[in-house]
Amino acid sequence: MPQPAFTTARCTLLLTASLGLTSLLSVFPASNCRAEQLQPTSPFLVGYANQVSYAPGEEVELRLSSSCPQVDLVVERVGAKREEVYRHSAIPCSPQPIPDRASSDGCNWTITHRLTVAQDWKSGYYEVSLHGRQPDQAAAAGSLFFIVRAAPSASQSKILLQLSTNTYNAYTNWGGHSLYGYHDRDGIQGHRVSFDRPIHSQFGKWELPFVQWAEANGYNLDYAANSDLEFHPEILENYQLILSVGHDEYWSAPMRDHLEAYIAGGGNVAFFSGNTCCWQVRSEDQGRALTSWKQSYNMDPLYRTGDHALLSTAWSHHLVDRPENSLTGVGFLWGGYQRSHGQFMDGPGAYTVHRPDHWLLEGTRLERGQSFGGNDTIVGYECDGCEMEWRDGLPFPTHRDGTPEGFTILGTCPARWAPGDSLWYDRFPADRIGASVLGTYTRGGTVVTCGSTDWAHGLAGNDPAVVRITRNALDRLSK
């Protein structure tokens, strides 16, 4: 999608300090000042919904902007197969202004179309496909998504998959900035991102392969957004097992509080994900925006208060003192990259087995020292691990990093942060080699972690060990 042009309003901000207000107005007369970004020059069609997730019976408000005067839309549930549930044609549409702070404060567009989530729509990830009508000119196409939660009285599942919607938002730079500087058009890292703008979904890269495998193999899943763990924690009571899949990087304190209480009360969680719960975010605008200052934690207004529990930086930072290990069993601080970011680019992408007799590996026929998952690179991109020591050829957690007592390391694969990544991080040894760790612990409920974003790639490739381990976790923990 074409990026909006550089704005006069941003030029104004850059010149203010050096020219002064009087000189500034002579350069940019008031009549030429703009408070919004320029529209793309090519045909465009973008949009967003007013919520990330909905319950049956709730109304979906679609806010669309297009160079085409009319738009057709189709709504489909995306799972093992695509199921159409709604379509509407010839919806009047027009370009809507892009505010200069759209990425942080939202677009505030008017409503283009309304639809109601029917009672018979299954819980799931729903994609709205958009097609513009443009007589005698090139048309435009686009898409957006929303999630349908299950009605408590109608749910037939014991498994809830909460999708990594906070991560989708954090990586989206539409309308200005993301929470990253390296892929923004002017290299500026934002610290606040809004859901009230077109969001680039990462669902297809990690979660969809898991969903396709699970639904094709008879597993009935219900769905939720990250924010539902914060704003609708009562839904957790309906399930025996909560799933995190893929790249579940951004968590708020209420999300953690509610899930940790669920585990303490006997609920089970499987993290088929990596880089999980790495950054703390704070929800704002009733959940329609996220704030995280990340490496610039000393710029967070909370830094000066002395109360750092909600400081929006890495959960494992000593000022926050709540490493993700205490939830997942592992963390990025002791993991890093495998076959990505220039680290271990010729690495195995596989787990080496250490304790083959554990119930999680039952039926795999794996033996100690054997590896699995390399053909599909199940250990890849971003990985989580724990501090460990070796005794008699076996790894044991030290628990100094917050890893719970009773955590059992079942498999490992080398991982490492990129050189220099740790320089901002107080009290962190630079550039050490860690590991991606597959393991489990029980503390009330049972928690399984795979320590890698790319586990689902092994399901897509039908790796027999990955399939059996996933089955073992789902079958045992959902009962």
Side-chain angles (χ1 to χ4, degrees), residues 208-228:
L208 180 57
F210 187 97
V211 165
Q212 289 175 325
W213 173 85
E215 292 190 352
N217 284 274
Y219 291 99
N220 184 16
L221 307 178
D222 283 346
Y223 295 71
N226 278 151
S227 55
D228 289 324

Side-chain angles (χ1 to χ4, degrees), residues 142-455:
S143 66
L144 59 92
F145 74 94
F146 59 83
I147 297 160
V148 174
R149 306 188 302 274
S153 60
S155 175
Q156 300 297 314
S157 177
K158 295 298 182 183
I159 305 174
L160 177 68
L161 169 59
Q162 58 95 32
L163 301 176
S164 307
T165 48
N166 286 353
T167 303
Y168 305 169
N169 193 0
Y171 278 81
T172 297
N173 63 0
W174 194 97
H177 308 292
S178 68
L179 295 186
Y180 296 81
Y182 67 86
H183 65 15
D184 273 11
R185 65 179 184 274
D186 48 14
I188 295 176
Q189 179 170 314
H191 65 84
R192 191 180 196 267
V193 287
S194 173
F195 282 101
D196 288 326
R197 60 180 177 136
I199 299 296
H200 176 69
S201 175
Q202 296 184 10
F203 175 78
K205 187 169 184 178
W206 287 289
E207 290 147 327
L208 180 57
F210 187 97
V211 165
Q212 289 175 325
W213 173 85
E215 292 190 352
N217 284 274
Y219 291 99
N220 184 16
L221 307 178
D222 283 346
Y223 295 71
N226 278 151
S227 55
D228 289 324
L229 269 62
E230 177 170 354
F231 296 100
H232 299 285
E234 68 280 358
I235 67 175
L236 297 176
E237 301 172 3
N238 302 317
Y239 302 99
Q240 297 293 325
L241 172 62
I242 311 299
L243 299 179
S244 163
V245 173
H247 196 191
D248 202 0
E249 186 174 358
Y250 290 85
W251 284 57
S252 68
M255 287 174 60
R256 281 197 68 171
D257 293 343
H258 295 147
L259 193 63
E260 288 176 355
Y262 168 83
I263 296 168
N268 304 313
V269 180
F271 293 100
F272 294 113
S273 55
N275 196 213
T276 307
C277 196
C278 179
W279 298 107
Q280 177 163 211
V281 297
R282 295 195 298 272
S283 294
E284 299 178 351
D285 293 348
Q286 292 76 50
R288 296 303 295 167
L290 304 173
T291 286
S292 186
W293 289 87
K294 299 180 70 175
Q295 299 95 333
S296 302
Y297 58 89
N298 59 334
M299 299 295 290
D300 188 330
L302 293 187
Y303 178 76
R304 295 160 185 80
T305 68
D307 183 0
H308 296 144
L310 300 181
L311 192 68
S312 59
T313 187
W315 280 103
S316 54
H317 196 284
H318 67 90
L319 291 176
V320 179
D321 195 25
R322 195 179 177 184
E324 60 267 37
N325 300 60
S326 63
L327 167 63
T328 66
V330 293
F332 195 68
L333 187 62
W334 294 91
Y337 305 111
Q338 161 79 198
R339 299 184 108 177
S340 71
H341 297 73
Q343 307 307 304
F344 295 107
M345 298 307 291
D346 58 350
Y351 275 118
T352 298
V353 174
H354 302 299
R355 293 176 171 89
D357 295 331
H358 192 274
W359 67 262
L360 190 62
L361 275 64
E362 182 180 352
T364 62
R365 300 182 181 179
L366 291 168
E367 298 180 2
R368 181 175 169 179
Q370 287 185 326
S371 297
F372 70 94
N375 289 340
D376 300 297
T377 317
I378 65 167
V379 183
Y381 190 52
E382 295 181 333
C383 309
D384 296 332
C386 63
E387 185 185 34
M388 53 190 172
E389 57 189 12
W390 293 78
R391 301 194 299 267
D392 298 325
L394 289 174
F396 294 85
T398 67
H399 306 294
R400 290 190 295 259
D401 56 1
T403 297
E405 295 291 335
F407 184 79
T408 303
I409 300 172
L410 304 177
T412 60
C413 180
R416 176 174 51 205
W417 281 28
D421 272 6
S422 62
L423 296 181
W424 67 276
Y425 201 110
D426 293 351
R427 307 182 189 179
F428 179 70
D431 308 332
R432 68 180 168 210
I433 294 178
S436 187
V437 170
L438 170 69
T440 183
Y441 74 91
T442 297
R443 189 173 57 194
T446 294
V447 174
V448 168
T449 182
C450 81
S452 170
T453 57
D454 291 357
W455 179 269

Side-chain angles (χ1 to χ4, degrees), residues 159 210 213-219 241 270 272 359-364 448 455 459 462-479:
I159 305 174
F210 187 97
W213 173 85
E215 292 190 352
N217 284 274
Y219 291 99
L241 172 62
F272 294 113
W359 67 262
L360 190 62
L361 275 64
E362 182 180 352
T364 62
V448 168
W455 179 269
L459 297 175
N462 202 33
D463 181 282
V466 174
V467 168
R468 183 57 190 260
I469 291 169
T470 307
R471 284 188 176 275
N472 288 345
L474 298 185
D475 293 346
R476 183 184 180 106
L477 302 183
S478 65
K479 293 181 180 179

Side-chain angles (χ1 to χ4, degrees), residues 32 44 86 99 132 154 300 329 375:
N32 290 333
F44 65 92
Y86 179 89
D300 188 330
N375 289 340

